[in-house]
Amino acid sequence: MKQAARLFKSLADETRLRILALLLAEEKLCVCDLMAALELPQSTVSRHLAQLKNAGWVDDRREGVWVYYSLAPSDIPSRGELQAFLARYLATEPVAIADRERLAGFGQGNRCA
């Protein structure tokens, strides 16, 4: 039950939901991509990523000098159902749509890759 509470608590913040919406739309993103899309400072984005990682939502992977974040795989069926619901719900949220547009406007040439 404690893991379920941690999972749901992690969703109780708009910034973390915005990060999840972007990660649901993209395979992987680095902090600079998220900063550009969310228009937030690095410290804020990193703090929220740490909370999502602690709750089991995201994984990180170092590639050279960059750390990329992606959705963590789960062997818990109910979390997969929750993730599918979030994908459908957040895809239509105006703030999430604006974030995806800003990320697209940031352009591949400016991304961390």
Side-chain angles (χ1 to χ4, degrees):
M1 190 62 78
K2 287 185 181 193
Q3 177 154 10
R6 190 172 355 136
L7 192 68
F8 283 105
K9 279 183 183 180
S10 68
L11 300 177
D13 181 87
E14 180 181 354
T15 300
R16 289 192 291 274
L17 286 173
R18 291 171 68 193
I19 290 170
L20 283 176
L22 288 167
L23 290 173
L24 285 162
E26 298 284 329
E27 183 178 326
K28 63 182 181 179
L29 294 169
C30 68
V31 173
C32 60
D33 295 332
L34 292 165
M35 288 169 50
L38 302 173
E39 298 181 321
L40 292 172
Q42 179 271 327
S43 58
T44 301
V45 172
S46 292
R47 180 172 32 91
H48 287 290
L49 282 167
Q51 290 174 324
L52 289 169
K53 184 177 178 183
N54 288 336
W57 281 109
V58 299
D59 279 338
D60 58 356
R61 184 177 75 254
R62 181 170 293 279
E63 291 181 19
V65 297
W66 304 110
V67 176
Y68 288 94
Y69 294 86
S70 58
L71 291 173
S74 176
D75 56 354
I76 304 168
S78 57
R79 195 179 116 205
E81 293 170 19
L82 180 57
Q83 188 171 315
F85 167 78
L86 286 171
R88 287 189 309 274
Y89 181 81
L90 294 173
T92 61
E93 278 294 301
V95 173
I97 292 168
D99 290 343
R100 287 192 308 272
E101 290 172 354
R102 265 191 306 282
L103 181 62
F106 188 48
Q108 285 298 109
N110 295 321
R111 308 265 306 261
C112 295

